[in-house]
Amino acid sequence: MNTDTRKDDNVSDQELAEMVAQTDTGARHPRGIPGKMLFAVPLAWSLFQLWYASPLPFAFGFGVFNDTEARAFHLAFALFLAFTAYPALKTSPRDYIPIQDWIFALLGAFSAAYIYLFYEELSGRSGAPITADLMIGVCGMLLLLEATRRALGPPLMVVAIVFLIYTFGGPYMPEVIAHKGQSLSKVMSHQWLTTEGVFGVALGVSTSFVFLFVLFGAMLEKAGAGNYFIKMAFALLGHMKGGPAKAAVVASATTGLISGSSIANVATTGTFTIPLMKRVGFPGTKAGAVEVAASTNGQLTPPVMGAAAFLMIEYVGISYLEVIKHAILPALISYMALFYIVHLEALKANMQGLPRRHNTTIAQKLMTMAAVVTGICVIGLAVYYGIGWVKTIAGDSAIYIVSAGVFAVYLALLKFATRYPALEMDDPNDEVLELPETGPTVKVGLYFLLPIVVLMWCLIVERFSPGLSAFWATMFMIFIVLTQRPLLAMFRGNSHSGTWMQGINDCIDGLVHGARNMIGIGVATAAAGIVVGTITLTGIGQVMIEFVEFISGGNLLLALIFTAIICIILGMGLPTTANYIVVSSLMAPVVVALASSNGMIVPLVAVHMFVFYFGILADDTPPVGLAAFAAAAIAKSDPIKTGIQGFMYDIRTAILPFLFIFNTQLLLIGIDGWLELLLVIASAVIAMLLFAAATQGYWLTRNKLWESLALLLIAFTLFRPGFWWDEIYSPIERIAPTELEAMAEKTRNNGNLRFIAQGETLDGNFVRKTLLLPMGAKGPGNQRLLEAGLETRIDEGKVLVDNVTFSSPAQNAGIDFDWEIVEIHAESDRPPKQIMFIPAIILLVFVGLIQKRRRTHSPEFQTDTV
């Protein structure tokens, strides 16, 4: 490689580092005392968060903070670091902190901590703030907006300002969105001195859950797990056609599990994967686009999901495990499709993989695969039943026995790792690169999987809260960072005198880096709280329902398209977390209400997943997609073209939200039994692969137009067989409302009674809704209705709601007093909708036979062979 090219690479590397720093950690790195402050404060933040999440405050009886106090400390740290770590302008100094930034940082931290410092006084004058309270509220709000601009750019700041203007200027707004307006005292009290605005649910989630998961990811990266995942992906997949691109997909998926940031993911894996993709034949634009698509999809994959998983817990009111269950299938099929798209691109261009050091036979590959699967099953069964047996026998002492067992496994895996050379990342710009051997590469870092196992065990088996689970996993990760180097040196027979200090330095650096990664998220959740506070203060949520219903004509599909466009537009400048908070607060109730008026019951989690998906897609959407700019800087390609190509790859992800709104089985909702589960998974995977083949214009060979259209039709049928089946058989049977008690009695045990009700709301608006009323255990119909909190009467042939018990399932379902129950819905007795798979498969076989015949007789057959 010549000198000029190397020089260009260095410039691009600096630009990339600046972009990532400006987005994730702050671009300012001063020397001297300010530099030490920017090291000590993030370290103190991480230690505070670990203390707050641990059981120690309750064990020692001091340092116990309630949720509001912890949020105040969290935001105080974030604001202080936002002003000291992020320069005000592009021309502002990076090597020192101006005096005004010190003043802003201290004022911001004091304003955020005010709610803690004067907690008792504020509690005594709730709703009646004094002048000092208002001054602190105004100061804090202005500083938060400026911190948001520095850390995240202008878009979120502008959105927050627009909502504040709307709060004050309600009487001067157009009639459709007008309201009475609010005073400065009311707004500052609501937004800054209560938990309805800035210090609301979003900041609480950032404090309780998100920080620890980000810290966990930072410690994994510091320990070398990121390098291990990349190397393992290349060892397993690099030899295939277009292998580096396939490895990039898997590496980005694994690192995305722990980073939760599209740009950080691109910077971490892209610097290695993109040059290798270009080497095997990918143009720079497509190489960057593959990395962008893989990195943005990392936020869709549990357990972190860019912090949205933890917000959904609060907003939807479901457990963390349920969020993971609903998110896992769409994420998996999306990644499978991207992997397949890369394979099709490789076939179209006749790309080759990277050379292996040793070729293996098919029998050896099958034996290795069987051994891996068997080993995983044996380990899983031994852990699950073994620890379960220990808990049964040892009771409360089991935790100590299990901890000793995990420590013993850790030592054994470290000892096992010393049989193989340590992992070192190759230079992707070298002329010759051989793939690492699969076995040694996989085995040398198996101990990195232990903290993830601990995390999932605490979440799934022990049913700890996400915060406590992340705490124990992070503490184990800290232990690994501290001990892995000296223990590996000892097992290898080398001197380990300096390795302990290196481990301590790595641990401290990981704590600091994790906290600096949280600056943007902490500020974003606080600023997004302004939007949420405005919604609760002004009632704009109901106005949005009426507005969207008006412009969509009451059509649910048009409302979804409108919502998707809003998500993408906002997401172009907002981080994923803030975008999700803003759009879900505004649009999720709109979609649920419109679906209900269209006779559909859409689970709230499906709507939240919908807005979350489209918010993520903004990361690679031109002209602002930051992940696309980062990838283009590495690939030396045009960022707009890279973003467009990445969005074309992500079309498969864009259709998923629409599909799981209309077919919630894709979110594993409403599935009865293992057979139906396997059928849903198989049909979804095949459908997504066929959709990818259709949009790429290549399946067994290059598609003709009608073949692509046929593949799209087959994919749609496999995704949503009920669409066609509903045209043949009505999905519901309409029953007279006078049969309410009889239908309640027939409803299955703990099932739902579905009916349509209509009436006036407290605001005087007439509504018509499709509702689900949860029924309890089997019994007489009138008794089950009473237990659900619903009493009715018959007046002139109409069934009217006579009473709704407070906080009952009936009230939670949305039923109001004096509404009329119009009709009851029962599932029709009809053949299973999966019968529609048969004609779809027949058509697929027909297209496959035609393509196979054409490929066989094509002169390009050799180049199209896998």
Side-chain angles (χ1 to χ4, degrees), residues 352-387:
Q352 302 301 319
L354 295 172
R356 269 183 162 178
R357 297 184 183 181
H358 305 288
N359 291 322
T360 55
T361 64
I362 294 178
Q364 288 174 320
K365 292 177 181 177
L366 292 175
M367 287 292 292
T368 302
M369 183 180 297
V372 170
V373 172
T374 303
I376 291 173
C377 292
V378 169
I379 292 172
L381 291 172
V383 170
Y384 187 85
Y385 290 104
I387 295 181

Side-chain angles (χ1 to χ4, degrees), residues 67-76 79 108-116 122 136-137 140-141 144 188-205 207 525-530 533:
D67 291 343
T68 304
E69 293 170 332
R71 294 174 192 181
F73 274 110
H74 186 81
L75 183 57
L79 287 177
F110 177 76
S111 299
Y114 186 79
I115 199 172
Y116 166 75
L122 290 170
I136 291 295
M141 191 71 75
L144 173 60
M188 288 302 107
S189 177
H190 186 83
Q191 294 280 16
W192 198 264
L193 303 177
T194 71
T195 55
E196 295 293 328
V198 170
F199 295 94
V201 171
L203 187 64
V205 170
T207 306
T525 52
I530 297 174

Side-chain angles (χ1 to χ4, degrees), residues 542-543 546 758-768 819:
Q542 182 61 39
V543 174
E546 296 171 359
Q758 62 185 25
E760 286 191 2
T761 64
L762 293 175
D763 299 326
N765 297 316
F766 183 83
V767 296
R768 180 184 175 95
W819 279 18

Side-chain angles (χ1 to χ4, degrees), residues 219-244:
M219 299 304 295
L220 265 175
E221 185 65 35
K222 182 58 66 174
N227 180 33
Y228 170 67
F229 290 144
I230 295 172
K231 281 287 246 184
M232 186 169 61
F234 272 86
L236 293 169
L237 304 169
H239 65 285
M240 299 179 176
K241 284 182 176 291

